[in-house]
Amino acid sequence: MEQIMIGTVFQPINWKAAYDMDFSLDCLYCGHPTLSGYHVEDERGKSKKVVVCGECFKVNGNYS
Ligand SMILES: [Zn+2]
């Protein structure tokens, strides 16, 4: 899989996503007031945490 970039549409199945926590932040793309954090893993087993909008499903950023 390609690197998960900011603005990419969330692909929960391809990324083996597991819900982690919610953030009280506005989406950079659509202004939706709640974002969710997911722990994701790529095909090489490298994991990271991404912040995803619950409305437009775009990746807003990473956290650790
Ligand atoms: Zn959004």
Side-chain angles (χ1 to χ4, degrees):
M1 130 186 134
E2 68 259 49
Q3 196 174 357
I4 299 171
M5 304 292 288
I6 308 303
T8 303
V9 174
F10 188 43
Q11 299 171 51
I13 296 174
N14 290 345
W15 299 353
K16 299 179 185 172
Y19 172 80
D20 185 37
M21 61 187 288
D22 282 338
F23 293 89
S24 295
L25 297 171
D26 292 344
C27 177
L28 298 171
Y29 300 95
C30 73
H32 187 71
T34 306
L35 303 180
S36 297
Y38 290 86
H39 183 271
V40 299
E41 190 177 294
D42 72 14
E43 62 191 5
R44 289 166 299 190
K46 188 177 179 189
S47 63
K48 66 196 299 188
K49 291 177 177 176
V50 296
V51 183
V52 178
C53 176
E55 182 68 27
C56 70
F57 302 104
K58 288 185 176 177
V59 174
N60 274 240
N62 304 309
Y63 67 103
S64 54

